[in-house]
């Protein structure tokens, strides 16, 4: 029941800090086998592409300098969290890469957004 309450806490908090606290608590309260089973079940609930992103980031030496994690919460909140921790060069590379993959319509809308934000 304690672990169930911790999961509810992490979900209701709606921030990455809740999940980081969850990690600490389950390490103290669950066996290695129980944690492995929980991780396995959670990974199986994801589509293949997201599973790969999670695994890559979980084992990356500096995951904040790699691709953003798949969203655990609202996409905008997750993006803001990642951007607040990524270094300037990494953010610039992502902005340029994303922009280069936009359609002309998306580029125009993005340009309008930047102009409004700068005003």
């Amino acid at each position: 029941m304690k672990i169930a309450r911790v999961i509810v806490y992490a979900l209701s908090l709606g921030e990455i800090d809740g999940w980081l606290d969850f990690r600490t608590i389950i390490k103290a309260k669950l066996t290695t086998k129980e944690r492995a089973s929980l991780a396995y079940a959670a990974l199986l609930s994801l589509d293949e592409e997201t599973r790969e992103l999670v695994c890559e980031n979980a084992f990356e030496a500096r995951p904040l300098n790699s691709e953003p994690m798949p969203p655990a919460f609202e996409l905008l909140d997750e993006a803001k969290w990642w951007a607040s921790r990524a270094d300037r060069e990494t953010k610039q590379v992502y902005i340029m890469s994303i922009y280069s993959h936009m359609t002309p319509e998306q580029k125009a809308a993005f340009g309008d957004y930047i102009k409004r934000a700068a005003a």
Side-chain angles (χ1 to χ4, degrees):
M1 286 305 287
K2 288 181 182 180
I3 298 302
R5 283 195 301 266
V6 174
I7 291 172
V8 170
Y9 163 77
L11 287 168
S12 63
L13 189 61
E15 295 177 7
I16 194 68
D17 291 339
W19 291 107
L20 295 176
D21 292 345
F22 175 73
R23 175 190 61 181
T24 303
I25 293 167
I26 65 168
K27 189 171 183 181
K29 299 290 184 184
L30 298 179
T31 67
T32 299
K33 184 177 179 180
E34 289 168 334
R35 292 191 321 270
S37 297
L38 180 63
Y40 182 72
L43 283 172
L44 288 179
S45 73
L46 303 172
D47 61 78
E48 185 176 349
E49 182 181 346
T50 305
R51 243 188 340 262
E52 288 175 9
L53 286 172
V54 170
C55 289
E56 288 171 12
N57 278 277
F59 299 107
E60 181 74 29
R62 295 187 65 205
L64 291 177
N65 289 331
S66 62
E67 64 273 355
M69 288 288 291
F73 309 109
E74 293 297 319
L75 185 57
L76 182 58
D77 292 337
E78 206 63 25
K80 286 178 181 178
W81 177 86
W82 180 84
S84 72
R85 287 159 175 78
D87 62 64
R88 183 180 180 150
E89 181 182 3
T90 301
K91 288 186 269 192
Q92 288 175 339
V93 168
Y94 273 92
I95 290 168
M96 292 172 156
S97 178
I98 291 167
Y99 185 82
S100 71
H101 286 85
M102 288 180 174
T103 65
E105 296 81 17
Q106 290 171 321
K107 288 178 180 179
F110 183 70
D112 291 342
Y113 171 80
I114 295 299
K115 288 175 189 170
R116 285 191 310 275

